[in-house]
Amino acid sequence: MISVNTNKNYAQIGKITCWITFTIGIVYLIVTILGLFSLKSKEEPIGDPYFTLMELLTILIAPFLVLNMIAIHYHASKKHKINTLFALCSMSIMAAITTSVHFTIIMLSHQLETPIMNDLTLFFSFKWPSVVYILDIVAWDWFFPIAFLAAAPIFNNGSKEKTIRMLMIISGILSLIGIIGMPLGNMDIRNIGIIGYAVIAPFVFLLIGMNFNRKV
């Protein structure tokens, strides 16, 4: 049986990791917005230094997302352990895929000559369709929302937790909608998913961190 002090330790860890996740998420949003404003046309991809910063922030946030789910899992009641375990497994798979993708991109883009990278567009670019683009969509528009939707039911104690649950469900559904863009070959639809995991999700983690803070 988990002691009260142990539960408080997990709540403390969850509070810290959730707030770090929120901070990284907000920085990512700011960098993305600055990158978009730097473009001369919307067809252009975001360039450096914004692109590299976005890659690094994605790599940085991934382990904190897993730590958040670990804290949520240990803090959940027994009847919800299966939900949070499934959420933890899904978030871990997401983190593994996206970390591999973004490490690969950032290493190759800085070590290979531009003509070689252009020849490998089908594999290593974020232009549709490419292998790494598909993998990243699977990570963020499939495994991430599965994790959110699986964990959402555990937040049902009081109005604040119900707000967290509602936002997790909204974030998860929007993220799932993004994956529809793949079979349709429509990245405008895919961008709906970005609203779910990059705009709404950071504030979800802020609220979860605040909820953990009440339990410390």
Side-chain angles (χ1 to χ4, degrees):
M1 184 175 180
I2 299 175
S3 69
V4 174
N5 286 337
T6 302
N7 270 335
K8 287 187 176 182
N9 288 338
Y10 286 121
Q12 180 72 17
I13 293 170
K15 177 189 74 173
I16 294 170
T17 58
C18 283
W19 286 353
I20 290 174
T21 301
F22 167 73
T23 302
I24 297 173
I26 294 302
V27 173
Y28 183 91
L29 272 178
I30 293 171
V31 171
T32 302
I33 291 170
L34 291 174
L36 290 172
F37 276 120
S38 72
L39 302 180
K40 295 180 180 178
S41 70
K42 66 177 184 178
E43 286 77 22
E44 292 181 18
I46 294 176
D48 280 332
Y50 306 107
F51 178 76
T52 298
L53 284 172
M54 290 166 66
E55 296 295 283
L56 291 172
L57 288 167
T58 302
I59 292 169
L60 180 61
I61 204 172
F64 287 106
L65 291 171
V66 176
L67 284 170
N68 294 342
M69 284 300 168
I70 292 173
I72 289 170
H73 173 62
Y74 276 99
H75 206 69
S77 62
K78 287 185 178 180
K79 71 176 182 178
H80 287 124
K81 287 295 186 186
I82 187 68
N83 294 64
T84 53
L85 180 59
F86 183 56
L88 173 57
C89 291
S90 298
M91 192 66 82
S92 298
I93 294 170
M94 186 285 299
I97 294 174
T98 198
T99 300
S100 299
V101 163
H102 291 280
F103 257 121
T104 300
I105 291 295
I106 200 169
M107 289 296 104
L108 288 179
S109 64
H110 284 80
Q111 295 191 32
L112 295 181
E113 299 293 333
T114 300
I116 298 176
M117 284 299 295
N118 290 338
D119 291 339
L120 297 174
T121 299
L122 180 62
F123 297 97
F124 303 115
S125 75
F126 279 111
K127 295 180 181 178
W128 180 260
S130 72
V131 173
V132 294
Y133 203 172
I134 291 171
L135 287 173
D136 211 45
I137 292 173
V138 170
W140 289 98
D141 294 301
W142 183 246
F143 286 107
F144 181 89
I146 285 176
F148 255 37
L149 293 173
I154 79 165
F155 296 100
N156 57 11
N157 185 20
S159 60
K160 290 183 178 179
E161 288 201 358
K162 288 178 180 178
T163 299
I164 292 172
R165 182 179 64 191
M166 179 187 67
L167 289 175
M168 289 184 82
I169 292 172
I170 293 172
S171 174
I173 291 173
L174 289 175
S175 298
L176 275 176
I177 290 173
I179 206 167
I180 299 173
M182 281 208 298
L184 297 179
N186 187 332
M187 293 302 101
D188 287 334
I189 295 176
R190 191 268 154 155
N191 289 339
I192 295 173
I194 297 175
I195 298 172
Y197 64 76
V199 178
I200 298 176
F203 293 96
V204 172
F205 286 114
L206 173 64
L207 293 176
I208 295 174
M210 293 168 66
N211 191 58
F212 275 131
N213 190 49
R214 291 169 45 231
K215 300 176 184 296
V216 174

